[in-house]
PDB file of all heavy atoms in Angstrom:
ATOM      1  N   GLU A 206      31.199 -30.999  44.214  1.00 98.00           N
ATOM      2  CA  GLU A 206      31.081 -29.611  44.668  1.00 98.00           C
ATOM      3  C   GLU A 206      31.267 -29.524  46.043  1.00 98.00           C
ATOM      4  O   GLU A 206      31.283 -30.501  46.775  1.00 98.00           O
ATOM      5  CB  GLU A 206      29.559 -29.076  44.252  1.00 98.00           C
ATOM      6  CG  GLU A 206      29.364 -29.212  42.637  1.00 98.00           C
ATOM      7  CD  GLU A 206      27.996 -28.549  42.234  1.00 98.00           C
ATOM      8  OE1 GLU A 206      27.312 -28.074  43.161  1.00 98.00           O
ATOM      9  OE2 GLU A 206      27.802 -28.525  41.049  1.00 98.00           O
ATOM     10  N   GLU A 207      31.128 -28.261  46.565  1.00 98.00           N
ATOM     11  CA  GLU A 207      31.145 -28.008  47.994  1.00 98.00           C
ATOM     12  C   GLU A 207      29.774 -28.522  48.554  1.00 98.00           C
ATOM     13  O   GLU A 207      28.699 -28.221  47.773  1.00 98.00           O
ATOM     14  CB  GLU A 207      31.301 -26.533  48.273  1.00 98.00           C
ATOM     15  CG  GLU A 207      32.755 -25.994  47.925  1.00 98.00           C
ATOM     16  CD  GLU A 207      33.779 -26.536  48.992  1.00 98.00           C
ATOM     17  OE1 GLU A 207      33.498 -26.382  50.174  1.00 98.00           O
ATOM     18  OE2 GLU A 207      34.767 -27.102  48.432  1.00 98.00           O
ATOM     19  N   PRO A 208      29.634 -28.920  49.828  1.00 98.00           N
ATOM     20  CA  PRO A 208      30.712 -29.127  50.715  1.00 98.00           C
ATOM     21  C   PRO A 208      31.027 -30.604  50.763  1.00 98.00           C
ATOM     22  O   PRO A 208      30.489 -31.414  50.215  1.00 98.00           O
ATOM     23  CB  PRO A 208      29.885 -28.842  52.016  1.00 98.00           C
ATOM     24  CG  PRO A 208      28.552 -29.477  51.751  1.00 98.00           C
ATOM     25  CD  PRO A 208      28.301 -29.153  50.224  1.00 98.00           C
ATOM     26  N   PRO A 209      32.298 -30.955  51.342  1.00 98.00           N
ATOM     27  CA  PRO A 209      32.609 -32.311  51.620  1.00 98.00           C
ATOM     28  C   PRO A 209      31.586 -32.848  52.661  1.00 98.00           C
ATOM     29  O   PRO A 209      31.196 -31.979  53.584  1.00 98.00           O
ATOM     30  CB  PRO A 209      34.039 -32.258  52.221  1.00 98.00           C
ATOM     31  CG  PRO A 209      34.456 -30.815  52.058  1.00 98.00           C
ATOM     32  CD  PRO A 209      33.296 -30.055  51.750  1.00 98.00           C
ATOM     33  N   VAL A 210      31.290 -34.041  52.463  1.00 98.00           N
ATOM     34  CA  VAL A 210      30.224 -34.711  53.469  1.00 98.00           C
ATOM     35  C   VAL A 210      30.967 -35.842  54.187  1.00 98.00           C
ATOM     36  O   VAL A 210      30.982 -37.050  53.639  1.00 98.00           O
ATOM     37  CB  VAL A 210      29.001 -35.165  52.705  1.00 98.00           C
ATOM     38  CG1 VAL A 210      28.052 -35.663  53.736  1.00 98.00           C
ATOM     39  CG2 VAL A 210      28.386 -34.014  51.924  1.00 98.00           C
ATOM     40  N   PRO A 211      31.601 -35.629  55.407  1.00 98.00           N
ATOM     41  CA  PRO A 211      32.315 -36.701  55.994  1.00 98.00           C
ATOM     42  C   PRO A 211      31.294 -37.665  56.608  1.00 98.00           C
ATOM     43  O   PRO A 211      30.173 -37.367  56.874  1.00 98.00           O
ATOM     44  CB  PRO A 211      33.133 -36.029  56.994  1.00 98.00           C
ATOM     45  CG  PRO A 211      32.565 -34.619  57.172  1.00 98.00           C
ATOM     46  CD  PRO A 211      31.799 -34.389  55.997  1.00 98.00           C
ATOM     47  N   ASN A 212      31.759 -38.906  56.865  1.00 98.00           N
ATOM     48  CA  ASN A 212      30.957 -39.953  57.393  1.00 98.00           C
ATOM     49  C   ASN A 212      31.236 -40.081  59.011  1.00 98.00           C
ATOM     50  O   ASN A 212      30.975 -41.113  59.566  1.00 98.00           O
ATOM     51  CB  ASN A 212      31.302 -41.264  56.775  1.00 98.00           C
ATOM     52  CG  ASN A 212      30.678 -41.241  55.353  1.00 98.00           C
ATOM     53  OD1 ASN A 212      29.532 -40.953  55.188  1.00 98.00           O
ATOM     54  ND2 ASN A 212      31.537 -41.484  54.395  1.00 98.00           N
ATOM     55  N   TYR A 213      31.716 -39.012  59.568  1.00 98.00           N
ATOM     56  CA  TYR A 213      31.989 -38.815  61.082  1.00 98.00           C
ATOM     57  C   TYR A 213      31.828 -37.412  61.423  1.00 98.00           C
ATOM     58  O   TYR A 213      32.139 -36.554  60.602  1.00 98.00           O
ATOM     59  CB  TYR A 213      33.374 -39.441  61.387  1.00 98.00           C
ATOM     60  CG  TYR A 213      34.443 -38.644  60.751  1.00 98.00           C
ATOM     61  CD1 TYR A 213      35.044 -37.557  61.479  1.00 98.00           C
ATOM     62  CD2 TYR A 213      34.849 -38.798  59.449  1.00 98.00           C
ATOM     63  CE1 TYR A 213      36.027 -36.775  60.848  1.00 98.00           C
ATOM     64  CE2 TYR A 213      35.789 -38.038  58.823  1.00 98.00           C
ATOM     65  CZ  TYR A 213      36.374 -37.058  59.613  1.00 98.00           C
ATOM     66  OH  TYR A 213      37.310 -36.227  58.982  1.00 98.00           O
ATOM     67  N   GLY A 214      31.430 -37.124  62.562  1.00 98.00           N
ATOM     68  CA  GLY A 214      31.466 -35.859  63.001  1.00 98.00           C
ATOM     69  C   GLY A 214      30.457 -35.571  64.122  1.00 98.00           C
ATOM     70  O   GLY A 214      29.893 -36.564  64.657  1.00 98.00           O
ATOM     71  N   ARG A 215      30.376 -34.366  64.695  1.00 98.00           N
ATOM     72  CA  ARG A 215      29.629 -34.054  65.875  1.00 98.00           C
ATOM     73  C   ARG A 215      28.196 -33.417  65.410  1.00 98.00           C
ATOM     74  O   ARG A 215      28.189 -32.498  64.608  1.00 98.00           O
ATOM     75  CB  ARG A 215      30.302 -33.039  66.740  1.00 98.00           C
ATOM     76  CG  ARG A 215      31.286 -34.021  67.590  1.00 98.00           C
ATOM     77  CD  ARG A 215      32.012 -33.022  68.711  1.00 98.00           C
ATOM     78  NE  ARG A 215      31.236 -31.948  69.151  1.00 98.00           N
ATOM     79  CZ  ARG A 215      31.609 -30.624  69.187  1.00 98.00           C
ATOM     80  NH1 ARG A 215      32.755 -30.299  68.691  1.00 98.00           N
ATOM     81  NH2 ARG A 215      30.836 -29.839  69.705  1.00 98.00           N
ATOM     82  N   ARG A 216      27.182 -33.905  66.066  1.00 98.00           N
ATOM     83  CA  ARG A 216      25.821 -33.336  65.806  1.00 98.00           C
ATOM     84  C   ARG A 216      25.816 -31.738  66.012  1.00 98.00           C
ATOM     85  O   ARG A 216      26.617 -31.336  66.906  1.00 98.00           O
ATOM     86  CB  ARG A 216      24.825 -34.037  66.630  1.00 98.00           C
ATOM     87  CG  ARG A 216      24.426 -35.312  66.031  1.00 98.00           C
ATOM     88  CD  ARG A 216      23.325 -36.023  66.830  1.00 98.00           C
ATOM     89  NE  ARG A 216      23.186 -37.390  66.399  1.00 98.00           N
ATOM     90  CZ  ARG A 216      22.411 -37.912  65.406  1.00 98.00           C
ATOM     91  NH1 ARG A 216      21.491 -37.095  64.816  1.00 98.00           N
ATOM     92  NH2 ARG A 216      22.424 -39.184  65.082  1.00 98.00           N
ATOM     93  N   LYS A 217      24.957 -31.001  65.412  1.00 98.00           N
ATOM     94  CA  LYS A 217      24.793 -29.683  65.660  1.00 98.00           C
ATOM     95  C   LYS A 217      26.056 -28.776  65.271  1.00 98.00           C
ATOM     96  O   LYS A 217      26.243 -27.680  65.669  1.00 98.00           O
ATOM     97  CB  LYS A 217      24.420 -29.368  67.054  1.00 98.00           C
ATOM     98  CG  LYS A 217      23.034 -29.961  67.495  1.00 98.00           C
ATOM     99  CD  LYS A 217      22.651 -29.430  68.820  1.00 98.00           C
ATOM    100  CE  LYS A 217      21.148 -29.693  69.125  1.00 98.00           C
ATOM    101  NZ  LYS A 217      20.872 -31.216  69.283  1.00 98.00           N
TER     102      LYS A 217
END
Side-chain angles (χ1 to χ4, degrees):
E206 298 187 358
E207 291 291 308
V210 183
N212 293 305
Y213 62 94
R215 278 180 38 230
R216 285 184 191 266
K217 298 190 165 68

